[in-house]
Amino acid sequence: MEPIILALQRERSCWKAKEILESSGTALCLICRSADQVRRTARRLRVSAVVCGYKLGDQPAEALFEDLPAFCSMLVLAPQNLLDQMENDGIARLPIPVSRRDLIASVQMLLQMERRPAPAAPSRRPPEEQAVIDQAKQLLMDRSGMTEGQAHRFLQKSSMDRGVSLLQTARLVLDSGD
């Protein structure tokens, strides 16, 4: 069995997923509790796949994905509305609740992926929506001295905290900047 990292916020969910994946012979599961621990473990043990929730205690999954080695794939388990907010097309997604069969099949597919796509994958958003998000990031960069990455993470976190889309949050930032 190939080792993977499980990093789900609820300990019970972690152990249940571990039992499903190991008893089916799909993967040997290493449990991590933080994004920092995932990064260290993935590099040290050259683990090729991470299964995690939308957000770990110390970092969102998308930000963690950017810090992982290129050989490491990621599957995010989360409610569909949160999965819809994710922008990186290189991350596999599976809406919860997850059936045993879907979890096993998704992890098997994840393990068969050779390498993830380059992080600069084009956005799936329509150009007019992407333009609004880019304008909001630019406003944050100009007014608050943020880098583009910081501005993007600010928009993501704000949209998660409010339970609204990234586009809606970007519009709010632009409306408040006038």
Side-chain angles (χ1 to χ4, degrees):
M1 281 191 291
E2 188 169 345
I4 67 165
I5 294 173
L6 276 178
L8 302 170
Q9 284 213 342
R10 292 189 176 154
E11 190 171 343
R12 184 171 167 249
S13 299
C14 248
W15 289 105
K16 186 174 181 181
K18 177 181 172 76
E19 189 276 322
I20 289 169
L21 295 170
E22 289 184 350
S23 68
S24 67
T26 304
L28 175 65
C29 301
L30 308 168
I31 295 178
C32 291
R33 304 307 304 163
S34 67
D36 187 53
Q37 189 179 15
V38 169
R39 272 191 297 281
R40 287 190 317 250
T41 304
R43 283 190 179 94
R44 189 179 72 238
L45 301 178
R46 294 194 55 84
V47 175
S48 64
V50 174
V51 176
C52 64
Y54 183 77
K55 185 175 191 287
L56 285 78
D58 54 344
Q59 192 173 37
E62 276 190 294
L64 168 61
F65 182 70
E66 298 302 324
D67 293 340
L68 291 175
F71 57 80
C72 195
S73 301
M74 180 180 278
L75 171 66
V76 173
L77 309 176
Q80 186 64 55
N81 66 319
L82 294 177
L83 296 177
D84 291 341
Q85 293 179 28
M86 294 177 63
E87 294 185 348
N88 192 318
D89 294 333
I91 301 173
R93 300 165 176 89
L94 186 61
I96 58 173
V98 177
S99 72
R100 175 184 177 91
R101 187 186 79 232
D102 288 345
L103 178 62
I104 291 168
S106 296
V107 171
Q108 286 172 339
M109 285 178 26
L110 192 67
L111 290 172
Q112 292 172 1
M113 295 172 71
E114 288 186 27
R115 282 181 76 94
R116 67 180 190 200
S123 174
R124 293 184 304 172
R125 295 182 183 282
E128 57 276 0
E129 288 183 12
Q130 189 60 49
V132 172
I133 293 167
D134 291 342
Q135 287 174 339
K137 285 196 278 190
Q138 189 61 52
L139 180 66
L140 290 168
M141 291 163 54
D142 293 344
R143 297 249 170 105
S144 303
M146 294 180 181
T147 65
E148 184 177 5
Q150 290 170 330
H152 186 77
R153 282 188 288 282
F154 174 83
L155 291 173
Q156 281 182 317
K157 182 168 178 2
S158 297
S159 65
M160 284 189 308
D161 291 347
R162 290 184 174 94
V164 298
S165 73
L166 193 64
L167 179 63
Q168 289 171 307
T169 302
R171 287 183 177 139
L172 287 171
V173 167
L174 291 173
D175 289 345
S176 68
D178 294 333

